[in-house]
Amino acid sequence: MPTTADRRPVLFTGGTVLTMDDQHTVLTDADVLVVDDRVAEVGTGLSAPDGAEVVDASGGIVMPGMVDTHRHMWQTAMRAYGADWTLTQYFVWYYLEHGAKFRPEDIRAGNLLSAWDALEAGVTTTVDWSHGLQTVDHAEAAVEALRSAPGRYVLAYGNIQAAPWEWTADPAVRSFFGRHRGSDGDMLGFQLAFDVTGDPAFPEKAAFELAQDLGLPVTTHAGVWGATNDDGIRLMHEHGFMQPDTVYVHAATLTTDSYHRIAATGGSVSVSTESEQSAGQGYPPTWQVRRHGIPVSLSMDTSVWWSSDLFSAMRTTLGADRSREHLEAHAAGDTVTHSALRAEQVVEWATRGGAAALGRDDLGRLTAGAKADVVLIKNDDSPVSFPLLNPYGHVAFQAQRGDVHTVVVDGRVVKRDHKLVGADLASVRTEVENTVDHLRAAMGEEVWQQGMNPDLPGEDHKVLDNPYQYTDYRSHTTHGARGTVFGEPNSGR
Ligand SMILES: [Zn+2]
C-alpha cells in the first residue's frame, strides 16, 4: 500500500459541492480541502496549504466517493460474457461451468480489473461479494488484488461451491481472518457472504454463529425468485441473526412480513436494479422498501452481465421505481402526478446509503473530519456538462463514468484529469487474458460459445400473428381480405 508520504493536500476550487451532510447542503462556487486522509474544510474562498494540488472544479460537481455494497468482482474477468443470460443460465455457468474452474490467479485477475474499474467510475468503496473462494488460496488471491489497488474494499468472504455450514467450519477460514483483519486499517474490511435457503432445519445457523463469533457482518442474497424467500428471512429472525449490520441483497421476491422483519431489526437492502431487471430475482424493490423505512444502498452485482458504475444504478433505480408507480396507478385507473422517488434520494443511496450499510458514518459525505473520498464530475469538452441547473438530476441522469475527472481515496489522488493514477492496465490485461485462455480451454470451445450465446427455444421468438398485416412484401404477393390489395410491394418500405 502507498504510504502517507505520497499524500499532498488537495484543494478543489469553485465547484458545485454536494456535501451530503445531514441537511444535504449544496454549495455553489465552493471549495473542498483535503488534508491527509480527511476532509479538512468545505466552504468558499479556502486557501491552499503549501504544496497542495489545486483542482479547478468550476463547472463541475464535487461529491463524496460512491459506495457499492454488492459486486462479484472476480467475475469481471469474463466481462459482458453473460449479457443475454437469465438467472438460470448464470447458475449453470457458475456452478457447473466456468465459475467452478476459477483458480486463485483467476480470482486475482478479476478482482484487479474490477478494482480499477470501480475507481475509474468514482466508486471509492466496493464490497467484493466474493463467493468464488473455493479454497483459502483463492481468498488470499482476492485480498492480494484488493490491496494492490488504491480503493477502499470490503471482502465479503463466500464459497458457493460448498454449503455455508461446511466452508465456515474450516479452521483455515477462521485463521484467514486472524491473519488479515485489521492489517490495512480501514481500507479493507470483511463480511461473511452466504445465502439462506429456507430449509426448516436451518443448517446455515453454524455460519451465522461463526460471523457472530468473529464479529463480522453477514451479507445475503435474499428474496431471489426460485432461490431464497420469506422462509430464510423468518428463520434468521427467529434465531436472532437479523442484525443492524446485515445486508439483504436484492430483497425483491419478499412479502410485507419480511420487510417488517428487516425494518424492525435495522438491516439494509442492497438494490441492484440492472440485475433485478434482467436476471429475474424479482422487481427492483425500492418502491416497496422505501415505504417501510428500510435503508437502501445501491450495487452493480456483476460485470459478467452488466455495467459497473453507480451512475447506471442511480438511473435504472429511478426508472424502475417510477415505472412501477405508474403501472400500479394505471392498474387502478389513476395517474401519478408527482414522482415519489427523487434524484436526490438515489444520489444519497449511492453515497451515504452505502456508507451506512457498512456502518461507516465517516464515508459518503463531504464534511469536515470525514474520510477524504472525493469525486469531481467535470468534463468541459462535453456538451452534457452544461447548463448545470439541478445537480442531483445531473448526477443521476446526465453524468457518466467518462465525466469523472478526479477521484480521491483516503486523501490520495487515484484519478486525475480523467486518467487513472498508478494503474498498470497492461499487466492487468495480461492477467485477465491468461484467465480467459484458461477458462476457454478448460470448458472447450463449444461450451464457451453456447454459454455466451444461449439458445432461444423456437416458440419463444416467433413473431405473433398480426391481423393488420396483409402484405408479404418480400415475396411480392398480397393476401388481403376479400381480395383487396393492401400496400404496394415496391413502395420502398
Ligand atoms: Zn449477487
Side-chain angles (χ1 to χ4, degrees):
M1 288 294 286
T3 63
T4 48
D6 56 12
R7 272 202 200 105
R8 295 163 62 190
V10 183
L11 180 65
F12 293 90
T13 61
T16 295
V17 179
L18 306 184
T19 64
M20 303 316 293
D21 64 7
D22 292 344
Q23 293 75 37
H24 287 199
T25 307
V26 178
L27 301 167
T28 51
D29 197 17
D31 310 330
V32 175
L33 174 64
V34 166
V35 177
D36 293 327
D37 62 338
R38 304 278 170 174
V39 174
E41 207 175 343
V42 179
T44 50
L46 304 185
S47 49
D50 284 348
E53 176 169 350
V54 178
V55 182
D56 174 11
S58 58
I61 296 170
V62 187
M63 63 180 283
M66 289 174 270
V67 180
D68 183 324
T69 51
H70 156 240
R71 187 181 298 209
H72 307 294
M73 293 175 71
W74 60 281
Q75 298 180 352
T76 311
M78 289 182 74
R79 186 191 292 289
Y81 178 87
D84 294 322
W85 284 346
T86 60
L87 206 53
T88 306
Q89 283 145 347
Y90 170 77
F91 286 144
V92 170
W93 170 79
Y94 188 172
Y95 284 109
L96 305 176
E97 295 179 352
H98 303 95
K101 302 287 183 197
F102 270 66
R103 306 162 299 179
E105 59 261 50
D106 305 318
I107 299 283
R108 181 188 139 88
N111 271 25
L112 269 178
L113 182 58
S114 184
W116 286 107
D117 171 343
L119 291 173
E120 211 260 341
V123 177
T124 50
T125 300
T126 307
V127 173
D128 178 19
W129 222 103
S130 195
H131 53 353
L133 305 181
Q134 301 176 52
T135 69
V136 170
D137 287 344
H138 288 72
E140 294 288 351
V143 161
E144 190 186 306
L146 299 180
R147 284 206 174 108
S148 70
R152 221 179 274 285
Y153 304 100
V154 173
L155 180 77
Y157 193 120
N159 173 10
I160 207 167
Q161 303 293 346
W165 54 94
E166 291 168 350
W167 65 261
T168 53
D170 181 354
V173 170
R174 188 182 276 266
S175 59
F176 169 87
F177 289 113
R179 214 161 36 250
H180 292 292
R181 280 181 82 187
S183 57
D184 299 271
D186 66 348
M187 297 301 287
L188 180 63
F190 294 91
Q191 296 178 338
L192 285 192
F194 58 88
D195 298 344
V196 182
T197 60
D199 176 347
F202 194 46
E204 296 86 359
K205 185 167 182 273
F208 281 106
E209 283 167 349
L210 178 72
Q212 213 165 45
D213 202 20
L214 296 176
L216 292 173
V218 169
T219 178
T220 186
H221 292 112
V224 173
W225 178 261
T228 57
N229 57 29
D230 288 324
D231 293 336
I233 298 285
R234 182 179 45 74
L235 286 162
M236 285 174 68
H237 194 219
E238 286 170 358
H239 288 82
F241 293 122
M242 290 179 76
Q243 298 295 320
D245 59 8
T246 308
V247 177
Y248 306 87
V249 175
H250 302 307
T253 309
L254 293 175
T255 65
T256 299
D257 180 68
S258 285
Y259 292 133
H260 283 160
R261 293 178 199 262
I262 294 171
T265 51
S268 66
V269 166
S270 175
V271 178
S272 314
T273 303
E274 263 192 25
S275 172
E276 289 129 23
Q277 284 184 319
S278 74
Q281 294 94 339
Y283 200 88
T286 58
W287 70 288
Q288 298 201 75
V289 301
R290 61 182 167 75
R291 294 191 172 117
H292 292 282
I294 298 170
V296 173
S297 62
L298 302 182
S299 56
M300 291 316 304
D301 201 348
T302 171
S303 294
V304 73
W305 244 306
W306 303 292
S307 68
S308 50
D309 62 88
L310 290 187
F311 298 110
S312 307
M314 289 186 272
R315 197 167 302 172
T316 52
T317 300
L318 274 173
D321 193 292
R322 292 174 178 179
S323 187
R324 185 65 183 239
E325 287 231 317
H326 289 299
L327 279 172
E328 295 283 326
H330 297 178
D334 292 334
T335 301
V336 174
T337 55
H338 298 77
S339 288
L341 185 62
R342 303 301 172 107
E344 180 174 346
Q345 182 67 66
V346 294
V347 175
E348 187 194 81
W349 288 342
T351 52
R352 285 182 66 138
L358 301 178
R360 294 290 303 261
D361 60 7
D362 57 346
L363 301 179
R365 67 188 74 193
L366 297 180
T367 55
K371 281 284 183 166
D373 295 1
V374 188
V375 170
L376 169 61
I377 295 167
K378 170 178 159 119
N379 189 352
D380 293 339
D381 296 328
S382 167
V384 179
S385 64
F386 63 90
L388 179 49
L389 305 176
N390 173 346
Y392 293 115
H394 210 97
V395 170
F397 278 131
Q398 307 297 320
Q400 52 177 312
R401 73 159 58 226
D403 300 324
V404 174
H405 177 286
T406 300
V407 179
V408 172
V409 182
D410 210 43
R412 294 185 186 87
V413 177
V414 303
K415 187 180 184 186
R416 175 184 288 120
D417 209 7
H418 300 281
K419 289 243 183 301
L420 287 168
V421 176
D424 183 359
L425 288 190
S427 76
V428 176
R429 181 190 291 268
T430 302
E431 291 196 37
V432 169
E433 283 172 353
N434 288 339
T435 286
V436 169
D437 288 347
H438 157 70
L439 295 171
R440 199 166 177 156
M443 294 310 301
E445 193 59 21
E446 198 180 336
V447 173
W448 175 270
Q449 291 298 340
Q450 279 172 0
M452 187 157 51
N453 305 292
D455 289 338
L456 196 57
E459 283 303 301
D460 288 0
H461 59 100
K462 182 173 174 286
V463 174
L464 301 178
D465 292 336
N466 180 343
Y468 299 104
Q469 189 173 297
Y470 296 100
T471 306
D472 182 344
Y473 293 103
R474 276 190 209 105
S475 64
H476 292 200
T477 58
T478 55
H479 1 252
R482 293 184 298 278
T484 314
V485 175
F486 293 87
E488 284 297 320
N490 293 313
S491 63
R493 293 178 63 194

